[in-house]
Amino acid sequence: DAKTTQPPSMDCAEGRAANLPCNHSTISGNEYVYWYRQIHSQGPQYIIHGLKNNETNEMASLIITEDRKSSTLILPHATLRDTAVYYCIVSPSSGSARQLTFGSGTQLTVLP
Amino acid sequence: GAVVSQHPSWVICKSGTSVKIECRSLDFQATTMFWYRQFPKQSLMLMATSNEGSKATYEQGVEKDKFLINHASLTLSTLTVTSAHPEDSSFYICSARPSVSTDGYFGPGTRLTVT
């Protein structure tokens, strides 16, 4: 599995954009970048995923560098409920039988 | 969106007893279910993968005789922790996948405390 590197923790002011970086320098051509988050004592929640183009949905935006060696998850207007551990995962396409491998993630704390 | 439930949400049991945790896909049929374990302040670790009607595949270091997995139907998988010990206390999370061509959906987790 390609490994990811994320900062262990970040703070963000409520209402501001939260930009969470992830390095995945050994990513393979067929591997997607997935982002999940886990609020304390709950199961992981899917946020977004992408291959090489930038992606946006109702929760967040995903910016992937042209060389695909890093990406940034953007929460445009962070709220207190966005406080969670955010996991960046690289994995083959959804057609694979392999399951997601979670790293240590980034603890995002949104401050009032 | 697809919903996955787990029951119970938390359980306390005495050392030496067995505990069964259920994972259900409520609005879809899951050909594959995954079981994860998460210790405090650590990340999720995959324990096993189960396909409906066949034996589960366990990750290295996970005792298959201790963590019994049954995936008897397309909407239900169970994890039984046999002869539980305090070191088995953890947060157990399942993930259910409708088909090989789709991503999985996570359950809310079950907190197991063994006293």
Side-chain angles (χ1 to χ4, degrees):
Chain A
D1 287 349
K3 294 185 177 180
T4 62
T5 304
Q6 299 177 252
S9 64
M10 292 181 64
D11 291 341
C12 175
E14 187 178 19
R16 303 296 293 269
N19 298 290
L20 292 93
C22 179
N23 287 322
H24 31 79
S25 59
T26 59
I27 191 170
S28 300
N30 68 338
E31 290 183 311
Y32 285 68
V33 180
Y34 286 83
W35 282 85
Y36 282 78
R37 72 180 183 184
Q38 186 179 25
I39 297 170
H40 183 63
S41 294
Q42 296 184 23
Q45 177 188 20
Y46 167 83
I47 301 174
I48 199 167
H49 76 284
L51 183 62
K52 54 183 178 181
N53 296 322
N54 298 338
E55 302 287 341
T56 296
N57 62 21
E58 64 278 4
M59 289 183 68
S61 294
L62 173 60
I63 309 298
I64 303 173
T65 58
E66 191 169 344
D67 63 7
R68 301 206 328 121
K69 293 185 177 182
S70 65
S71 62
T72 301
L73 178 74
I74 301 172
L75 306 179
H77 305 288
T79 69
L80 299 178
R81 289 180 293 180
D82 292 322
T83 292
V85 178
Y86 286 76
Y87 295 100
C88 168
I89 303 165
V90 293
S91 181
S93 68
S94 55
S96 168
R98 295 165 64 188
Q99 180 54 331
L100 302 172
T101 301
F102 287 78
S104 53
T106 296
Q107 169 67 59
L108 173 69
T109 302
V110 180
L111 304 172
Chain B
V3 178
V4 176
S5 71
Q6 286 185 236
H7 178 79
S9 55
W10 59 271
V11 57
I12 302 173
C13 71
K14 293 186 181 296
S15 186
T17 62
S18 295
V19 175
K20 180 183 287 188
I21 301 170
E22 293 183 349
C23 175
R24 292 183 185 272
S25 55
L26 298 184
D27 52 0
F28 66 95
Q29 293 185 326
T31 57
T32 305
M33 288 187 174
F34 305 89
W35 286 96
Y36 291 82
R37 179 170 53 183
Q38 185 176 33
F39 292 109
K41 298 190 183 301
Q42 295 187 22
S43 189
L44 285 78
M45 296 297 295
L46 181 65
M47 298 176 66
T49 301
S50 73
N51 292 296
E52 186 266 339
S54 60
K55 290 184 178 181
T57 302
Y58 291 81
E59 295 298 303
Q60 191 173 12
V62 178
E63 301 174 56
K64 62 179 182 180
D65 294 330
K66 180 172 181 61
F67 298 99
L68 303 179
I69 292 173
N70 184 289
H71 192 166
S73 80
L74 286 171
T75 59
L76 174 64
S77 175
T78 60
L79 168 68
T80 301
V81 183
T82 62
S83 187
H85 292 285
E87 57 264 32
D88 298 324
S89 298
S90 188
F91 194 49
Y92 291 87
I93 304 168
C94 73
S95 170
R97 188 166 70 187
S99 69
V100 174
S101 60
T102 60
D103 294 310
Y105 303 94
F106 286 90
T110 296
R111 175 77 59 193
L112 169 64
T113 302
V114 184
T115 60

